[in-house]
Amino acid sequence: MTYYINLFSPETYEAFTHSDRTVSGFRIKHHGLVAKLKTGDILVCYITRLSRWCGLLEVIDNCPFQDNTPIFVENNDPFILRFHVRTKVWLSLSDSIPIRDDKIWQHLSFTQSYPKNSGIWTGILRNSLNKLNDKDGELLAEMLSMQANNPFPYPLDEKELKNLKKHTVNRVEKVVEVSVPENEESLENNEICINNDVRESIKMQALLAQIGACMGHRIWLPKADRSRVLKEWNKDTEALLDRLPLNYDETTLSTIEQIDVIWLKGRSIIRAFEIEQTTSVYSGLLRMADLLALQPNMNIKLHIVAPDYRQEKVFQEILRPVFSLLEKGPLSESCSYISYSKLKELSKQKHLDRMNDGVLDDYDEQAEL
């Protein structure tokens, strides 16, 4: 028996609750992870935005199937790679166990060393089908089973209730859900000093440039950053462009030139990356939004690259109303998140020079309400 994470948003949790609870689903991008599941493995269920453990699902066959019948999302359900499961435990929201409860927090290998107000521990909980070690899996299975048999109430607090509330804006073609993040005036305890922030972001720029060049792309870096990035990037630097070979108006070109890293093939932009190390994670998103506002027909993949513990903040900001009213459509549909750890993991892959940029789709994450 092996234990894996199964992530639910509050919305997909409600949808699964009202289903017959015999099928769990994942995105097509998870096909490699799905292939590892075996009969008898346990999916330990976790609700994002609420940070609560809610259930245990047992895999009852090892034959994934594709089915787009709506279960988790009413229209265009993306969780179409599915498994039959047996629901061993499924808790109501008020009975689901907060991860910061001492009985959980003090004993999980990935939380016990950190303060509860930090976000450093969240890495394992950012993707479905991440594997739990046996001790963590057994602890969670025991705690969830005990809670199912003898419930102890965990009423949702004010912040959790706010996180459940849906916000929408009306577009001509559809209603779009957005987030309304709370203001954050102070740095979190786990933020590092500004000098270290800058140093780390430059390293990520260099890593992105090196990966792109290794895959055969030409690379653009803002001229103001080049001298610092080239101190970190020392392989395939001949791929760096002196000027952009693009035929756009001056305003568009001025916007594009400021993007942290761009991969190009010929005269076409393939992917664009903004690195957001600091608390606001806002300037890069604004630049991406500016680009799409100026060129709504531009069909390129955009990415925000940020520390692992900034994932939730990136998703909150990318779902703001201002980014959901672009002519091209919500920014969240064009721009995804890549964590520092995933970028480093990609950089260590063998034979990068034989891969194409599509491999990034296995490493990025989409913002979902």
Side-chain angles (χ1 to χ4, degrees):
M1 179 190 301
T2 306
Y3 297 91
Y4 295 93
I5 299 291
N6 194 356
L7 298 182
F8 289 82
S9 68
E11 292 74 26
T12 57
Y13 163 87
E14 286 296 331
F16 184 77
T17 298
H18 291 100
S19 73
D20 62 9
R21 305 182 201 171
T22 62
V23 173
S24 189
F26 305 93
R27 294 179 181 274
I28 287 293
K29 65 183 288 183
H30 289 123
H31 63 90
L33 297 172
V34 165
K36 297 179 181 180
L37 292 179
K38 304 182 300 295
T39 301
D41 286 344
I42 300 296
L43 304 175
V44 185
C45 303
Y46 181 82
I47 308 174
T48 61
R49 303 210 317 264
L50 299 181
S51 302
R52 287 174 170 242
W53 302 100
C54 65
L56 300 170
L57 307 178
E58 180 183 359
V59 177
I60 61 174
D61 63 46
N62 60 353
C63 299
F65 61 95
Q66 290 190 33
D67 181 10
N68 60 7
T69 304
I71 295 179
F72 305 96
V73 177
E74 187 174 347
N75 295 310
N76 299 317
D77 191 334
F79 306 103
I80 63 173
L81 192 56
R82 297 174 176 177
F83 266 97
H84 289 112
V85 297
R86 179 171 68 88
T87 300
K88 295 169 65 75
V89 171
W90 195 254
L91 303 175
S92 66
L93 282 183
S94 59
D95 287 341
S96 59
I97 308 175
I99 193 170
R100 291 178 175 83
D101 183 86
D102 284 342
K103 294 190 292 295
I104 297 288
W105 187 271
Q106 301 298 338
H107 300 285
L108 288 177
S109 64
F110 56 90
T111 58
Q112 59 186 188
S113 301
Y114 300 110
K116 292 183 180 180
N117 62 351
S118 77
I120 301 174
W121 53 273
T122 58
I124 194 171
L125 295 171
R126 292 223 312 278
N127 280 303
S128 280
L129 299 179
N130 279 342
K131 184 180 177 181
L132 289 161
N133 69 42
D134 289 345
K135 185 177 179 181
D136 288 341
E138 290 165 2
L139 169 70
L140 290 166
E142 180 182 1
M143 296 300 298
L144 287 163
S145 297
M146 289 174 57
Q147 179 71 348
N149 293 326
N150 188 21
F152 178 86
Y154 291 99
L156 275 68
D157 61 25
E158 183 178 352
K159 182 178 180 181
E160 290 173 317
L161 290 171
K162 284 184 178 179
N163 286 337
L164 284 177
K165 186 177 181 180
K166 292 183 180 180
H167 301 274
T168 61
V169 293
N170 294 321
R171 293 180 57 86
V172 173
E173 70 279 9
K174 61 180 178 179
V175 176
V176 177
E177 291 187 9
V178 300
S179 74
V180 183
E182 294 183 9
N183 190 33
E184 293 185 12
E185 296 294 338
S186 60
L187 293 178
E188 295 182 357
N189 291 338
N190 62 332
E191 290 285 0
I192 53 182
C193 70
I194 292 175
N195 287 338
N196 283 341
D197 282 348
V198 172
R199 190 176 302 115
E200 187 69 7
S201 66
I202 291 296
K203 288 181 179 179
M204 292 302 107
Q205 264 183 291
L207 199 57
L208 280 165
Q210 184 169 309
I211 292 170
C214 186
M215 290 182 178
H217 301 297
R218 293 194 289 174
I219 307 299
W220 173 262
L221 298 170
K223 293 184 178 179
D225 295 345
R226 293 186 175 201
S227 60
R228 291 180 296 175
V229 173
L230 286 171
K231 290 178 181 179
E232 303 287 342
W233 175 27
N234 48 29
K235 182 180 178 183
D236 299 325
T237 55
E238 64 275 9
L240 181 62
L241 291 167
D242 290 327
R243 64 180 184 84
L244 284 169
L246 305 174
N247 295 319
Y248 292 113
D249 60 83
E250 184 177 346
T251 301
T252 300
L253 281 174
S254 296
T255 300
I256 294 173
E257 286 173 351
Q258 300 308 310
I259 293 174
D260 286 335
V261 183
I262 298 175
W263 293 359
L264 298 98
K265 185 70 77 173
R267 299 174 63 86
S268 300
I269 297 176
I270 303 300
R271 293 182 187 257
F273 306 85
E274 279 288 330
I275 298 162
E276 290 291 356
Q277 173 81 24
T278 56
T279 303
S280 66
V281 300
Y282 210 74
S283 60
L285 288 170
L286 284 173
R287 192 167 291 123
M288 297 301 198
D290 285 346
L291 180 58
L292 293 182
L294 289 165
Q295 298 292 332
N297 295 321
M298 182 178 283
N299 186 27
I300 62 174
K301 294 193 175 183
L302 310 174
H303 307 280
I304 297 296
V305 180
D308 295 50
Y309 59 83
R310 301 307 296 163
Q311 182 229 38
E312 183 175 352
K313 182 63 176 174
V314 171
F315 285 173
Q316 285 181 341
E317 297 296 343
I318 204 171
L319 291 166
R320 280 180 179 267
V322 68
F323 296 135
S324 299
L325 296 172
L326 299 170
E327 180 182 343
K328 184 179 176 65
L331 182 61
S332 59
E333 294 179 358
S334 303
C335 184
S336 64
Y337 161 78
I338 301 175
S339 67
Y340 280 10
S341 64
K342 288 292 186 181
L343 185 62
K344 292 174 183 176
E345 180 183 332
L346 173 61
S347 72
K348 295 175 183 177
Q349 291 292 323
K350 295 181 179 179
H351 312 303
L352 270 177
D353 58 333
R354 300 179 192 174
M355 297 181 182
N356 61 45
D357 67 284
V359 72
L360 266 73
D361 296 339
D362 294 330
Y363 291 83
D364 69 355
E365 302 172 54
Q366 296 291 144
E368 297 175 1
L369 279 163

